[in-house]
Amino acid sequence: MRIKFQQSLDDLKERLLIMAGLAEQAIQRSIEAYITRDTSICELVLQAEPSINKLEREIDQMALDLLAMEQPMAIDLRFILSVIRINADLERVGDQAVNIAMRVREMGAFANVDLPVDIPRLASLASAMVRKSLQAFIEGNVELAQSVLALDDQVDRMNDAAYQALSTLIKERPELTPQSLNALIIARNLERVGDHATNIAEDVIFWVRGADVRHNPAGAQAV
Amino acid sequence: MRIKFQQSLDDLKERLLIMAGLAEQAIQRSIEAYITRDTSICELVLQAEPSINKLEREIDQMALDLLAMEQPMAIDLRFILSVIRINADLERVGDQAVNIAMRVREMGAFANVDLPVDIPRLASLASAMVRKSLQAFIEGNVELAQSVLALDDQVDRMNDAAYQALSTLIKERPELTPQSLNALIIARNLERVGDHATNIAEDVIFWVRGADVRHNPAGAQAV
């Protein structure tokens, strides 16, 4: 019985990693679409969304069945609750990718001009946060999870800088408003991807340590 | 033992409703700050945030303790999981209020001009969605929860219209860029409040029916 339960936990983890792969792929594709302005990649992102949503429901159902049938205690209970939360965050990362893809599609109608925002760099930082938070989840690695929390400020600062630079550009060159507004919203979407990675990292710490670090980015304080 | 468990569920529900009250108050205050441009109200919103975050952690801990100690089944298990999710959504509603308050504070530096967006109306629709979703939670009322899902499209359309009107204004009157950008972001924040209300309504349906309606707004389809 116990072995079967452990196998179910492993299955749940494996399924969540597939979910993570889909969410990361969606973000990467949406940024590739931004860089190349290739709207066919936007369509790929939009087409993949139903699979992500379907997998989210499957994982929640697996977690719920495990809670109902196995009535796990302590660390196993925290693990399953963490999976439920991480699952929701990954689905929302997928939503951000869809938002970005729709913005890129809208930008296709306007000239591809140089904008004072390094979206690829912001995207690569936000993606690194997601990747590290999931690596921390795979390894149960609290230190790695804490390193993700530190990166979030960097993403926030880049997003703030993008906002300032783009609103200045809009004032000076109002004809570039559509492109600038879309880039501004894409930067915010990436900032939100960083927020979701932060949530995932906090869930890893909660699972391993039993401490709830939310809103206490310094870390180990239990509630 | 069973009576004690029922009492604990009632306590959990009561605590969540206090959380809901704080989140709703935060949104209402942030909109009052927008209407009056009174930055002292912005400060009230920012000051209230730590209490909301603290209460979120307390509720999660109560839910976790109940899951660990009582090992509830079926509808009680779904109730507790719904509380965990609704709790997270309410905390994020509070975050949106903080975002709005910070935008209003920034707008204080610029002339208070007429903008082509009815923020109070959008706010009142988004708040109504939150209120109805919580009413549905109190009553376990699936029909009321479903009425919330229908309102979400309306909020999305209002937000899209605000985006179009404000980006046109920016192009025509670039000197109004700061005010217009801030209003555009406030409209998006309110649209996200509507999304959280939608999540809450879906959780109510999940709790009562055992059906997961996420990404199936039509309703009753089980997974």
Side-chain angles (χ1 to χ4, degrees):
Chain A
M1 190 61 191
R2 199 63 204 167
I3 292 171
K4 185 174 163 295
F5 176 55
Q6 194 53 55
Q7 182 61 49
S8 300
L9 291 181
D10 289 346
D11 289 349
L12 186 64
K13 186 174 188 169
E14 195 189 325
R15 198 60 69 97
L16 189 73
L17 293 177
I18 295 173
M19 178 78 179
L22 291 178
E24 287 185 74
Q25 186 187 53
I27 287 292
Q28 273 156 17
R29 280 181 175 165
S30 70
I31 296 307
E32 200 191 325
Y34 177 87
I35 295 170
T36 61
R37 294 293 199 281
D38 180 346
T39 53
S40 71
I41 308 177
C42 299
E43 299 309 318
L44 278 184
V45 175
L46 300 184
Q47 281 161 19
E49 201 201 9
S51 324
I52 295 185
N53 294 343
K54 182 159 172 280
L55 190 52
E56 186 201 11
R57 291 197 301 272
E58 279 174 28
I59 291 170
D60 269 355
Q61 193 61 53
M62 283 172 79
L64 190 68
D65 290 346
L66 273 174
L67 284 178
M69 292 183 299
E70 304 284 349
Q71 310 192 329
M73 307 283 280
I75 194 165
D76 291 337
L77 173 62
R78 292 204 305 273
F79 174 79
I80 296 172
L81 290 178
S82 296
V83 167
I84 290 175
R85 287 182 183 153
I86 293 173
N87 191 30
D89 276 301
L90 289 171
E91 192 271 330
R92 286 164 187 181
V93 168
D95 282 348
Q96 299 304 325
V98 167
N99 289 343
I100 292 172
M102 291 196 298
R103 290 292 148 197
V104 171
R105 210 166 52 173
E106 206 178 293
M107 289 174 100
F110 302 95
N112 185 353
V113 292
D114 252 354
L115 294 170
V117 50
D118 192 345
I119 293 286
R121 188 162 153 250
L122 186 51
S124 121
L125 197 54
S127 298
M129 287 178 68
V130 174
R131 212 164 41 244
K132 275 180 200 218
S133 69
L134 289 163
Q135 194 60 34
F137 172 73
I138 294 170
E139 300 171 6
N141 186 334
V142 168
E143 287 69 30
L144 189 58
Q146 277 167 337
S147 77
V148 173
L149 307 186
L151 287 174
D152 198 38
D153 286 339
Q154 217 175 315
V155 169
D156 288 349
R157 276 198 305 273
M158 283 180 72
N159 179 47
D160 289 344
Y163 182 87
Q164 294 305 333
L166 288 165
S167 59
T168 303
L169 178 69
I170 290 172
K171 263 196 277 192
E172 288 167 1
R173 299 191 56 192
E175 75 277 13
L176 299 182
T177 297
Q179 296 94 320
S180 304
L181 273 186
N182 281 309
L184 186 144
I185 290 173
I186 291 172
R188 282 182 78 83
N189 288 330
L190 291 171
E191 188 255 335
R192 290 198 59 79
V193 170
D195 287 345
H196 292 302
T198 299
N199 292 346
I200 294 171
E202 288 171 347
D203 283 324
V204 171
I205 299 171
F206 163 79
W207 156 45
V208 176
R209 286 223 178 132
D212 193 331
V213 291
R214 279 171 292 170
H215 320 300
N216 282 319
Q221 191 182 344
V223 288
Chain B
M1 189 63 188
R2 199 64 204 165
I3 292 170
K4 185 175 163 294
F5 175 56
Q6 194 53 55
Q7 182 60 50
S8 301
L9 291 181
D10 289 346
D11 289 348
L12 185 65
K13 187 173 188 172
E14 195 188 326
R15 198 60 68 98
L16 190 73
L17 292 177
I18 295 174
M19 177 80 178
L22 292 178
E24 286 184 76
Q25 186 186 52
I27 286 292
Q28 272 155 18
R29 282 180 174 166
S30 70
I31 296 307
E32 200 191 324
Y34 176 88
I35 295 170
T36 61
R37 293 295 198 279
D38 180 347
T39 53
S40 71
I41 308 177
C42 300
E43 298 310 317
L44 279 184
V45 175
L46 300 184
Q47 281 161 19
E49 201 201 9
S51 325
I52 296 185
N53 293 343
K54 183 160 171 281
L55 190 53
E56 186 201 11
R57 290 196 301 274
E58 279 174 27
I59 291 169
D60 269 357
Q61 192 61 52
M62 284 172 79
L64 190 68
D65 290 346
L66 274 174
L67 284 176
M69 291 183 300
E70 304 286 349
Q71 310 193 328
M73 308 282 281
I75 193 165
D76 292 336
L77 173 60
R78 291 202 308 271
F79 174 78
I80 297 173
L81 290 178
S82 297
V83 167
I84 290 175
R85 285 181 183 154
I86 292 173
N87 191 30
D89 276 302
L90 290 172
E91 193 270 331
R92 285 164 187 180
V93 168
D95 282 348
Q96 300 303 327
V98 167
N99 290 343
I100 293 171
M102 291 196 299
R103 290 291 147 200
V104 171
R105 210 165 52 171
E106 206 177 293
M107 289 174 100
F110 302 95
N112 186 353
V113 293
D114 252 355
L115 295 170
V117 50
D118 193 346
I119 293 287
R121 189 162 153 249
L122 186 49
S124 120
L125 197 54
S127 298
M129 287 178 68
V130 174
R131 213 166 36 245
K132 275 180 199 218
S133 68
L134 289 163
Q135 194 60 35
F137 171 74
I138 294 169
E139 300 171 5
N141 186 333
V142 168
E143 285 70 31
L144 189 57
Q146 277 167 337
S147 78
V148 173
L149 307 187
L151 286 175
D152 197 39
D153 285 340
Q154 217 176 314
V155 169
D156 288 352
R157 275 197 306 272
M158 284 181 72
N159 179 46
D160 289 345
Y163 183 87
Q164 294 305 333
L166 288 165
S167 59
T168 303
L169 179 68
I170 290 172
K171 261 196 277 191
E172 288 168 0
R173 300 192 54 194
E175 73 278 14
L176 298 183
T177 298
Q179 296 94 319
S180 305
L181 272 186
N182 281 309
L184 185 144
I185 290 174
I186 291 172
R188 283 182 77 83
N189 288 331
L190 291 170
E191 186 255 336
R192 291 198 58 79
V193 170
D195 286 346
H196 292 302
T198 299
N199 292 345
I200 293 171
E202 288 171 347
D203 283 325
V204 171
I205 299 172
F206 163 79
W207 156 46
V208 176
R209 285 224 178 131
D212 193 331
V213 290
R214 280 172 291 171
H215 321 300
N216 282 320
Q221 189 181 344
V223 288

